[in-house]
Amino acid sequence: MKKQILGLAVVLFMGSAVCMAQDNRGGRPDMSKRIEQMVTDLGLNETQAKEFKAVMEEMRPNRGASGERPSREEMEKKRNEADAKLKKILTDEQYKKYQSMRPQRGQRRGK
């Protein structure tokens, strides 16, 4: 009887460890990984990649001291400024590809 209880406890422990080790698939993907993937997909050189990453980091929403998210208007303004900067960094072909990638990102979020 003790062996059965001990065996059951080991199985439960192993099962819980496996569950805890799994990735957080329901959570938001890591922004730096997404940016790296975009750099690869767009075929950017080192200089472009560095500038692209800087623009994308600027676009990331900053929470105020109260912890509130920026308004939709503020985010739209940031997005427009970032697009203007990206248009200068990327070639015409790369910029078109970047623009085509944007709706795909939105669709994954359920928009």
Side-chain angles (χ1 to χ4, degrees):
M1 183 71 170
K2 288 182 180 182
K3 287 184 180 181
Q4 290 176 338
I5 293 174
L6 181 62
L8 182 61
V10 169
V11 169
L12 290 173
F13 175 74
M14 297 283 287
S16 64
V18 169
C19 290
M20 293 171 74
Q22 291 181 349
D23 292 340
N24 183 9
R25 293 195 173 108
R28 188 176 174 140
D30 183 24
M31 184 68 156
S32 59
K33 288 180 183 178
R34 288 177 41 205
I35 291 172
E36 286 295 330
Q37 184 62 46
M38 290 175 74
V39 167
T40 303
D41 291 346
L42 293 171
L44 304 182
N45 62 37
E46 287 183 35
T47 306
Q48 286 177 314
K50 186 177 179 180
E51 293 173 359
F52 181 82
K53 289 175 185 178
V55 170
M56 296 304 281
E57 287 295 324
E58 288 174 15
M59 199 169 73
R60 188 177 281 184
N62 295 326
R63 294 180 186 254
S66 63
E68 293 181 13
R69 296 181 69 174
S71 69
R72 184 177 298 265
E73 292 79 23
E74 289 177 67
M75 285 305 297
E76 189 65 34
K77 182 180 175 187
K78 276 187 172 185
R79 195 172 298 118
N80 290 336
E81 290 172 0
D83 278 347
K85 290 177 184 178
L86 289 175
K87 199 166 191 173
K88 293 177 185 176
I89 296 169
L90 305 175
T91 65
D92 290 338
E93 185 178 315
Q94 290 170 331
Y95 186 74
K96 287 178 185 175
K97 190 171 183 179
Y98 168 76
Q99 292 291 65
S100 70
M101 292 168 74
R102 288 182 68 182
Q104 294 172 359
R105 292 194 323 248
Q107 288 174 356
R108 278 189 250 145
R109 285 184 264 164
K111 289 187 178 181

